[in-house]
Amino acid sequence: MVVVSGEKSVHRCVVTSAQGPEDKSVESQYERALVLSYSCVASAAVDRLLDLIEYTFLREGGCAANLAGGDGTSNSAEKDMDIRSAASAAAAGLRIVDGVRMLGPSLSKLCEISPAGGASSAKGVQGETTIASALCISLHRSTVKNCSKTLENLARSIQLDPLDGTKHRPSDARVATVSSDVVHAIRIVSPFFSAYKSVSKRRSLPWDQEIGEKAADMDTFVRFLVKQLIISLQGKAQNYKNDGPDGTAKGNLFMMNNTFYILELLGPVGGGADATSDDNGENYRISGPWFKSKVTRIFENEKTRYLSHWEILNTHLTAVDDKELNYQNNKDVLSLESGRLLKSRFSGFIEDL
């Protein structure tokens, strides 16, 4: 981003200041020198951007399958990529799309500068597309294509998160790692809503088949990630049934802990304020009513199921009249007969346990 911003400053300070629409006194050789100098700077920025694309998308982003024929088959990088790594790759991809969107107008401006003097269109003298304009289009198409791949990898990494193992399904039903990882992923991709819109307008995505102006925004992608998270949590909760007699209750408690966690960290603050995020997305909140409604409903349903496991207590709770209780001389300690009475009332509960 720094390289691209610097390249734009060079054009604004050097080329634009010396070549205006009303300036007819600039010599052709001087103008040509300016164009060539600017071209050199732009080429360095493009070269650096290509290195970033190769490193981010092909090595870290798990997009090497595109070079192998684009058949969509998963490679080892995709299989081994955890949610946080996939989220970092997706955020990097969106950041590069932003960089290309900044670089595009400058490359288009370069196309408009004629080395022979004066301004020309983006087409060559014989109507052919210039190298700079073709490069601009190719860069944007490549970044959009590979960025969409990283977004799909992020969603897939949540879907493929293992359902068993103490790391993925805690034995004490506490908050799972997948919940904190998804919250982290949503927060680091949320600031790039403009870049995401640029991708969704040009690529059909599994969670959004529309393209063009009908394409959805970042909220649709976040909603899909939350959906995948809920499915993953429900699969883990089901596996608690294999842990013993209390497995079902533990699965309900697991869902309660995790839904409460994501609701606290991503739900709207106060009376449902709009979703906001700072520059790095740390305070991102989901304002859509679907989120609070869906997650709260799941939490309440799981709480009802969890409390139902304790209904066995009610079958053994019977009222004991004060007249049936006798105390010792100090009036604070029950007599032996009264203690036996209470013990007999709990005997059925102990036997059921």
Side-chain angles (χ1 to χ4, degrees):
M1 298 292 286
V2 174
V3 172
V4 173
S5 300
E7 176 269 331
K8 292 171 70 69
S9 299
V10 171
H11 179 272
R12 182 168 54 251
C13 298
V14 178
V15 180
T16 305
S17 61
Q19 183 183 25
E22 304 297 334
D23 190 2
K24 304 296 183 181
S25 61
V26 179
E27 296 182 4
S28 60
Q29 292 182 348
Y30 176 63
E31 182 180 355
R32 182 179 179 84
L34 288 175
V35 173
L36 294 177
S37 299
Y38 176 63
S39 300
C40 181
V41 174
S43 65
V46 171
D47 184 63
R48 178 59 177 165
L49 188 59
L50 289 173
D51 289 341
L52 291 174
I53 291 174
E54 178 185 4
Y55 182 80
T56 302
F57 289 135
L58 302 185
R59 299 182 185 178
E60 293 190 347
C63 298
N66 292 336
L67 296 181
D71 55 358
T73 57
S74 299
N75 55 18
S76 58
E78 291 176 350
K79 293 179 180 179
D80 298 335
M81 183 174 294
D82 57 26
I83 297 175
R84 287 185 176 258
S85 298
S88 298
L94 291 170
R95 184 180 293 272
I96 291 179
V97 171
D98 265 342
V100 172
R101 290 171 63 242
M102 292 177 61
L103 184 64
S106 296
L107 287 176
S108 300
K109 188 68 178 178
L110 179 62
C111 301
E112 298 173 1
I113 302 175
S114 172
S120 64
S121 64
K123 299 290 184 178
V125 178
Q126 299 179 355
E128 297 179 355
T129 303
T130 62
I131 295 178
S133 62
L135 178 61
C136 178
I137 295 173
S138 178
L139 277 174
H140 193 268
R141 183 184 296 115
S142 176
T143 52
V144 166
K145 173 185 175 182
N146 288 305
C147 184
S148 67
K149 182 69 173 178
T150 62
L151 296 175
E152 293 177 19
N153 286 346
L154 173 56
R156 189 180 299 110
S157 66
I158 301 174
Q159 180 183 3
L160 298 179
D161 189 71
L163 301 181
D164 281 313
T166 56
K167 177 182 178 181
H168 307 283
R169 185 173 63 86
S171 58
D172 56 359
R174 65 180 182 273
V175 175
T177 305
V178 64
S179 296
S180 61
D181 288 347
V182 172
V183 170
H184 171 76
I186 291 175
R187 285 180 169 177
I188 66 173
V189 301
S190 61
F192 304 103
F193 50 88
S194 297
Y196 176 83
K197 187 66 175 181
S198 180
V199 174
S200 64
K201 288 173 64 176
R202 294 164 177 82
R203 299 285 295 186
S204 177
L205 301 168
W207 53 89
D208 181 20
Q209 299 296 325
E210 300 290 344
I211 58 175
E213 296 302 325
K214 295 182 179 181
D217 54 14
M218 177 68 77
D219 184 69
T220 300
F221 180 53
V222 171
R223 186 169 185 169
F224 184 77
L225 296 183
V226 172
K227 177 182 177 181
Q228 296 300 314
L229 171 61
I230 296 298
I231 293 174
S232 177
L233 292 175
Q234 290 174 338
K236 292 177 173 61
Q238 289 293 326
N239 285 355
Y240 276 104
K241 294 180 179 179
N242 303 325
D243 291 354
D246 61 342
T248 303
K250 190 179 291 186
N252 300 139
L253 183 61
F254 172 79
M255 289 298 299
M256 289 172 57
N257 288 334
N258 283 271
T259 50
F260 182 81
Y261 172 80
I262 61 177
L263 189 61
E264 283 290 299
L265 294 185
L266 294 178
V269 179
D274 292 338
T276 58
S277 63
D278 53 16
D279 291 340
N280 55 13
E282 290 184 356
N283 296 327
Y284 179 81
R285 297 280 176 169
I286 302 175
S287 65
W290 63 267
F291 177 74
K292 185 175 182 180
S293 174
K294 181 180 181 65
V295 179
T296 302
R297 184 174 64 254
I298 295 175
F299 175 83
E300 293 297 333
N301 291 339
E302 295 295 337
K303 183 176 70 172
T304 301
R305 296 189 184 99
Y306 176 74
L307 293 178
S308 67
H309 295 286
W310 295 93
E311 288 297 324
I312 190 175
L313 284 176
N314 294 332
T315 62
H316 301 285
L317 294 179
T318 57
V320 178
D321 196 330
D322 289 339
K323 297 179 180 180
E324 299 182 36
L325 298 178
N326 297 318
Y327 295 87
Q328 298 181 9
N329 295 333
N330 55 12
K331 303 295 183 181
D332 293 329
V333 181
L334 290 173
S335 64
L336 182 60
E337 292 76 9
S338 297
R340 289 173 178 173
L341 174 63
L342 292 180
K343 183 178 179 181
S344 64
R345 298 295 175 90
F346 278 98
S347 61
F349 171 69
I350 297 175
E351 291 173 359
D352 288 341
L353 287 181

